[in-house]
Amino acid sequence: QEGLDIIILICMLLGISFTVWFTLLLVFIIVPAIFGVSFGIRRLYMKSLIKLFEWATLRMERGAKEKNHHYHQHHIFTIIITLRGGAEPEFDMSDIFYFCRRGVESIVDDEVTKRFTAEELESWNLLTRSNYNFHHISTRLTALWGVGVLIRYGFLLPLRVTLAFTGVGLLVVLTSIVGLFPNGRMKNYLSDKVHLMCYRICVRALTAIITYHDSENKPKNGGICVANHTSPIDVIILASDGCYAMVGQVHGGLMGVIQRAMVKACPHIWFERSEVKDRHLVAKRLSDHVADKSKLPILIFPEGTCINNTSVMMFKKGSFEIGCTVYPVAIKYDPRFGDAFWNSSKFGMVNYLLHMMSSWAIVCSVWYLPPMSRMEGEDAVQFANRVKAAIARKGGLADLLWDGGLKRGKVKEVFKEEQQKLYSKVLVGSSEDGSSS
Amino acid sequence: MGLQGWRNVLALKTSKNNNRAAWQRAFPVPLSHSQITRLYSRFHSLDKGENGALSREDFQRIPELAINPLGDRIINAFFPEGEDQANFRGFMRTLAHFRPVEDNEKNKDLTSGEPLNSRTNKLLFAFRLYDLDRDDKISRDELLQVLRMMVGVNISDEQLGSIADRTIQEADTNGDMCISFSEFIKVLEKVDVEQKMSIRFLH
């Protein structure tokens, strides 16, 4: 008898707490997301976290570390730094030292491979995954870290997962409903509202605290929006502030369901696997889309892969050949609160999302840069580099000429050949007479 | 990095406070504590297979090394004769050649014999880059091959041949048409080897 009473009591308590929980969720998170207003809870949370981290860092007594933020231009790598001053060109057995030294320097540390692993932090944010030197400092700190784990995995994670499911679910359902409307202004209006609402819920699902700068430069119809790429979350961050047409490959499974639903409400550009290889087809579909002024601006990430947000790598020229206005956007994440970088060779998507949702928060800044167009006499590659430099400068990232494709593939032979050509000039001089002594 | 890897790093860090002599016995190279930790971290990030040793492919994954015309020769220096794997000790030993020679280091006696980063050992490292078959002589053929690596296709065979001939003529003192190590040292006696073959390990 008593056992039954207790069970009933527990069920009632669970029911009540669940209702309270869901009401709070609705009032404080989902309703503001629908209307695009904010109570400022997340910013308050962010400020308290900062104070906490500062305290934790002081306890850590970290020595001086190398600065990780470089604002330099990295020129094409040249091995021959100094020519033998003024002497006539000839071979010297000591020439090998130049090659040797540069080679060993790159073995000890190089500019490229470190862009593909997560950035090292100067302070500790109570996440062991970002602390490479973690070992026991004090009981207080470890206790704090333990409490942090409880909060993040016990409270924040379930909250966020619920929100994520709500956001995605609503997206699929509502876009399908909007798809039933006849094409026209009403449909576009509804589609915009629906997309924005669902993305805002997803933003809250990640506890993303985003600061948008220069919103007067927001992308307009008939243009292409170009941004640096750090993680799949970039899409959510940009799309919660404006409406874009997405570009991507058709996927199966859950992604496929979402894609099919989204395209019912407004025209996104999804490519079949086979079509992706055909560059002309891709270019044609993109051009057709931008030519139609009633369609939304296209969102593209020209780096082609996720970079760890300390630099901007080579932009692929495809999107710059189309000949329309380009709206560059710079996204910079604050790594103190959670590392947004997706190292796709190390973690799968699910693992990555789990990491994201169990971090403290995702804090980032978005800068909308003024629109750019291709100038007279500029080819696509030069235009792409100009845009890239502007994005790197605004976001405070290093502007690298290396290809993001180096994450997976080998460097092209042609770069080695350039080095050989340079050295040959040292040997035989740049004049064409070519006679050696 | 795996748990075992970090245990090793931790052991390195704590051994600083323990028996310094024992630690130096384990790592008989003239590198400081923080330099070794840093290199271990780097070694581990290059070791994609996580098996505690580097293969040639691991080195070639570094783009700046892959475009270096002598990249393959430099990579070869890390692998002992006939082996395909470089462990951390070998990695450190090879890199220790490039530590700058500081004046106060010259008299410190870590182990018997010359420190790895002495002028002679730096020159030996460079000599071995030329000496393809490890027979302690640089023949005309070997010199030609290395020159070809450095210039690619931009210089004709005849020109390259005459450059090689001239170089051997100037260096060869005993008339065997090869350059031995002592002849190599003589040719480069005026060159500031210490500065050219040293790198800063920590920025």
Side-chain angles (χ1 to χ4, degrees):
Chain A
Q1 233 11 50
E2 282 183 9
L4 204 58
D5 282 338
I6 293 181
I7 291 178
I8 294 178
L9 193 63
I10 292 179
C11 284
M12 272 178 57
L13 279 172
L14 276 175
I16 293 176
S17 51
F18 190 71
T19 319
V20 168
W21 169 260
F22 206 69
T23 318
L24 280 174
L25 204 75
L26 204 67
V27 168
F28 282 106
I29 299 181
I30 297 190
V31 168
I34 296 177
F35 293 105
V37 299
S38 173
F39 281 124
I41 299 177
R42 280 174 291 152
R43 293 208 182 262
L44 189 64
Y45 170 63
M46 181 174 92
K47 290 199 178 73
S48 7
L49 279 179
I50 292 181
K51 292 220 166 49
L52 190 66
F53 296 160
E54 278 167 4
W55 179 83
T57 312
L58 281 167
R59 303 285 296 189
M60 289 280 291
E61 291 173 356
R62 260 184 136 102
K65 276 190 79 172
E66 64 162 307
K67 288 192 78 65
N68 279 324
H69 305 286
H70 302 291
Y71 291 71
H72 60 263
Q73 275 277 354
H74 184 96
H75 297 285
I76 286 277
F77 165 64
T78 349
I79 300 178
I80 308 298
I81 308 157
T82 51
L83 299 180
R84 290 177 290 284
E88 58 178 54
E90 59 172 41
F91 175 65
D92 195 306
M93 294 209 86
S94 65
D95 284 351
I96 205 172
F97 294 164
Y98 292 115
F99 291 99
C100 195
R101 192 172 92 177
R102 283 312 296 246
V104 175
E105 270 174 358
S106 66
I107 291 179
V108 171
D109 194 10
D110 78 302
E111 275 298 317
V112 182
T113 51
K114 70 182 179 197
R115 305 293 174 187
F116 296 131
T117 54
E119 185 184 1
E120 283 186 25
L121 289 181
E122 287 174 10
S123 68
W124 188 39
N125 61 356
L126 294 177
L127 296 170
T128 43
R129 67 182 76 125
S130 54
N131 183 351
Y132 303 114
N133 285 321
F134 176 69
H135 52 281
H136 185 80
I137 302 265
S138 74
T139 328
R140 216 185 289 186
L141 202 61
T142 316
L144 196 65
W145 171 77
V147 169
V149 168
L150 275 172
I151 297 180
R152 283 185 294 118
Y153 282 90
F155 172 65
L156 289 177
L157 184 62
L159 171 65
R160 288 174 183 161
V161 170
T162 322
L163 281 173
F165 275 112
T166 317
V168 172
L170 276 178
L171 182 68
V172 171
V173 166
L174 289 176
T175 45
S176 306
I177 294 179
V178 171
L180 296 170
F181 280 73
N183 288 352
R185 263 188 18 155
M186 186 58 164
K187 183 177 185 184
N188 290 344
Y189 176 73
L190 280 177
S191 154
D192 285 353
K193 288 285 169 256
V194 161
H195 273 106
L196 280 174
M197 177 183 108
C198 297
Y199 282 119
R200 281 194 209 116
I201 298 182
C202 289
V203 157
R204 281 159 172 77
L206 295 164
T207 318
I209 304 168
I210 312 169
T211 317
Y212 296 99
H213 304 268
D214 306 327
S215 295
E216 66 269 11
N217 293 325
K218 253 197 248 194
K220 302 189 177 47
N221 286 7
I224 293 189
C225 175
V226 157
N228 61 315
H229 200 31
T230 306
S231 89
I233 293 178
D234 292 342
V235 172
I236 299 179
I237 289 182
L238 288 179
S240 60
D241 191 46
C243 297
Y244 299 94
M246 311 282 169
V247 179
Q249 226 180 65
V250 168
H251 284 97
L254 180 64
M255 267 312 294
V257 170
I258 300 176
Q259 283 177 329
R260 280 193 294 277
M262 280 168 75
V263 85
K264 284 187 195 140
C266 80
H268 297 286
I269 307 178
W270 305 125
F271 288 105
E272 298 291 333
R273 248 228 146 87
S274 49
E275 289 172 333
V276 171
K277 303 245 169 46
D278 185 350
R279 287 192 50 201
H280 290 292
L281 182 64
V282 169
K284 178 150 194 333
R285 272 184 79 176
L286 292 177
S287 323
D288 288 345
H289 187 107
V290 301
D292 185 349
K293 294 290 179 226
S294 69
K295 293 197 178 149
L296 298 166
I298 306 181
L299 180 59
I300 289 189
F301 297 101
E303 277 162 312
T305 185
C306 295
I307 313 292
N308 76 348
N309 208 235
T310 58
S311 61
V312 181
M313 293 209 147
M314 189 168 95
F315 276 7
K316 307 224 180 315
K317 63 178 177 166
S319 23
F320 297 93
E321 283 171 336
I322 297 179
C324 59
T325 331
V326 167
Y327 296 88
V329 175
I331 308 177
K332 176 79 177 125
Y333 289 87
D334 189 339
R336 287 180 296 174
F337 296 91
D339 186 14
F341 166 58
W342 183 29
N343 190 343
S344 51
S345 41
K346 248 186 155 169
F347 305 114
M349 176 64 111
V350 176
N351 219 335
Y352 169 70
L353 284 176
L354 215 64
H355 271 195
M356 282 299 97
M357 294 203 199
S358 60
S359 305
W360 292 112
I362 311 279
V363 178
C364 62
S365 290
V366 174
W367 286 273
Y368 292 106
L369 278 75
M372 292 171 140
S373 310
R374 195 154 73 162
M375 296 196 296
E376 285 286 329
E378 209 181 24
D379 72 359
V381 175
Q382 287 164 330
F383 181 38
N385 284 338
R386 195 161 57 92
V387 172
K388 178 159 81 79
I391 292 183
R393 208 172 19 240
K394 197 70 181 184
L397 307 160
D399 183 8
L400 295 186
L401 283 162
W402 289 104
D403 190 341
L406 289 172
K407 193 182 191 179
R408 288 197 190 76
K410 290 219 169 121
V411 71
K412 296 199 182 73
E413 253 328 276
V414 68
F415 290 114
K416 191 194 257 198
E417 285 157 16
E418 269 173 39
Q419 298 304 315
Q420 288 169 328
K421 207 190 284 190
L422 280 169
Y423 181 63
S424 315
K425 288 214 179 78
V426 173
L427 271 200
V428 298
S430 39
S431 59
E432 293 306 291
D433 58 70
S435 59
S436 55
S437 95
Chain B
M1 206 195 274
L3 194 58
Q4 185 54 44
W6 286 119
R7 286 218 184 93
N8 292 340
V9 174
L10 187 56
L12 278 171
K13 290 193 121 185
T14 50
S15 68
K16 184 180 187 178
N17 304 325
N18 296 344
N19 194 339
R20 201 178 179 85
W23 168 61
Q24 281 178 351
R25 252 181 273 125
F27 295 105
V29 289
L31 292 176
S32 78
H33 209 80
S34 47
Q35 285 169 342
I36 295 185
T37 333
R38 182 105 202 170
L39 285 180
Y40 189 81
S41 185
R42 174 67 172 170
F43 177 85
H44 218 98
S45 72
L46 291 173
D47 179 13
K48 289 284 185 292
E50 304 232 338
N51 56 351
L54 296 177
S55 65
R56 288 193 165 82
E57 286 78 38
D58 287 324
F59 281 101
Q60 271 154 1
R61 229 175 268 119
I62 306 172
E64 284 168 24
L65 190 62
I67 75 171
N68 189 320
L70 291 179
D72 287 333
R73 293 299 304 150
I74 297 170
I75 294 173
N76 213 47
F78 284 84
F79 293 87
E81 183 88 43
E83 288 191 25
D84 281 334
Q85 298 282 311
N87 61 18
F88 182 57
R89 238 180 108 129
F91 183 71
M92 270 208 305
R93 271 188 66 92
T94 317
L95 287 181
H97 284 91
F98 288 83
R99 189 164 189 243
V101 178
E102 278 130 288
D103 283 350
N104 56 3
E105 294 275 275
K106 282 197 183 121
N107 297 322
K108 208 183 265 187
D109 190 20
L110 284 178
T111 53
S112 57
E114 258 179 283
L116 285 168
N117 62 336
S118 70
R119 184 192 161 90
T120 318
N121 279 324
K122 286 183 199 286
L123 281 167
L124 188 59
F125 189 90
F127 183 80
R128 290 209 175 113
L129 287 180
Y130 282 110
D131 184 11
L132 297 167
D133 57 5
R134 300 192 199 221
D135 64 349
D136 294 329
K137 293 202 293 280
I138 305 176
S139 67
R140 179 183 189 271
D141 215 28
E142 287 170 342
L143 186 56
L144 258 182
Q145 283 188 51
V146 175
L147 276 170
R148 184 52 75 192
M149 282 187 227
M150 290 198 269
V151 305
V153 300
N154 298 291
I155 298 185
S156 67
D157 281 333
E158 301 89 48
Q159 243 184 327
L160 216 58
S162 58
I163 291 177
D165 287 329
R166 199 164 30 90
T167 313
I168 294 192
Q169 232 173 5
E170 285 172 359
D172 189 20
T173 47
N174 64 353
D176 61 352
M177 301 305 280
C178 287
I179 306 180
S180 70
F181 185 48
S182 42
E183 287 163 356
F184 186 71
I185 297 180
K186 189 100 194 353
V187 167
L188 295 174
E189 65 187 349
K190 293 210 178 59
V191 174
D192 184 3
V193 176
E194 286 89 338
Q195 189 261 329
K196 293 201 161 93
M197 291 279 278
S198 297
I199 65 181
R200 288 174 307 142
F201 274 60
L202 297 172
H203 306 279

